[in-house]
C-alpha cells in the first residue's frame, strides 16, 4: 500500500473537498430551480392540471415549468427577452389562484402560472 506524505494528503483532501462542494453546490442550484415550480400551490378545487402528454400540449411544447422547455425545438426560449414569457404573462391566461390559471388554448385542465407553450403571446 502506498504511503502518503503530508503534502500529498493535503493536496488530495483539497481536491476532494472542492469536488464535493461543486457537486453539492450544483445540487443546491437544481434544488432552487425546482422550487421555482409552483406545484406546491394547491390546484383550484375540482380542477386538474393539463397533462403535459396531452396531444395539444405536446404539439405546442407545453410544460408546467417553462424551464423544462425543449430548447432544441424552441431555441428562442433561451433568448433574454423570453425570460418573462410564462403563462401568467400570456394573453390566453386567466389567473385562478397564486399558482394556476385557465388557458384559452389548453382547455383540458388548468395550467401553471410558470408554464409556457409555443402559442405564448404577450398579455396587453
Ligand atoms: S397559450 Fe399561453 S397560457 Fe396557454 S399554455 Fe401557452 S403560454 Fe400558457
Amino acid at each position: 500500500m502506498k504511503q502518503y506524505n503530508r503534502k500529498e494528503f493535503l493536496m488530495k483532501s483539497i481536491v476532494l473537498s472542492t469536488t464535493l462542494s461543486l457537486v453539492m453546490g450544483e445540487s443546491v442550484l437544481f434544488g432552487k430551480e425546482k422550487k421555482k415550480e409552483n406545484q406546491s400551490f394547491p390546484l383550484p378545487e375540482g380542477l386538474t392540471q393539463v397533462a403535459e402528454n396531452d396531444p395539444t400540449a405536446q404539439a405546442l411544447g407545453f410544460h408546467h415549468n417553462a424551464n423544462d422547455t425543449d430548447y432544441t425545438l424552441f431555441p428562442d426560449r433561451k433568448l433574454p427577452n423570453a425570460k418573462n414569457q410564462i403563462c401568467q404573462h400570456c394573453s390566453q391566461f386567466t389567473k385562478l389562484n397564486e399558482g394556476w390559471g385557465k388557458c384559452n388554448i389548453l382547455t383540458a385542465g388548468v395550467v401553471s402560472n410558470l408554464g409556457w407553450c409555443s402559442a405564448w403571446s404577450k398579455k396587453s
Side-chain angles (χ1 to χ4, degrees), residues 24-40:
M24 295 300 287
E26 195 169 76
S27 296
V28 168
L29 286 177
F30 286 136
K32 283 179 183 171
E33 195 66 33
K34 284 294 174 190
K35 284 179 186 170
K36 283 185 176 178
E37 293 182 35
N38 78 337
Q39 304 302 317
S40 58

Side-chain angles (χ1 to χ4, degrees), residues 49-60:
Q49 58 182 296
V50 170
E52 291 184 353
N53 63 0
D54 172 274
T56 307
Q58 278 189 323
L60 294 172

Side-chain angles (χ1 to χ4, degrees), residues 11-120:
M11 289 303 291
K12 288 187 187 294
S13 298
I14 290 169
V15 169
L16 180 62
S17 62
T18 303
T19 303
L20 282 174
S21 64
L22 286 172
V23 169
M24 295 300 287
E26 195 169 76
S27 296
V28 168
L29 286 177
F30 286 136
K32 283 179 183 171
E33 195 66 33
K34 284 294 174 190
K35 284 179 186 170
K36 283 185 176 178
E37 293 182 35
N38 78 337
Q39 304 302 317
S40 58
F41 287 101
L43 283 163
E45 196 171 321
L47 297 175
T48 57
Q49 58 182 296
V50 170
E52 291 184 353
N53 63 0
D54 172 274
T56 307
Q58 278 189 323
L60 294 172
F62 172 75
H63 287 282
H64 286 287
N65 182 345
N67 293 327
D68 292 339
T69 300
D70 184 342
Y71 295 111
T72 57
L73 292 175
F74 305 103
D76 287 354
R77 284 285 303 145
K78 278 189 169 181
L79 299 175
N81 64 351
K83 191 176 177 183
N84 288 323
Q85 292 181 5
I86 53 178
C87 291
Q88 68 181 342
H89 300 141
C90 177
S91 62
Q92 303 300 324
F93 185 81
T94 304
K95 180 180 174 179
L96 294 175
N97 69 17
E98 290 307 308
W100 304 93
K102 281 193 173 269
C103 168
N104 293 330
I105 294 174
L106 299 179
T107 56
V110 294
V111 296
S112 161
N113 62 352
L114 298 177
W116 178 86
C117 85
S118 58
W120 186 91

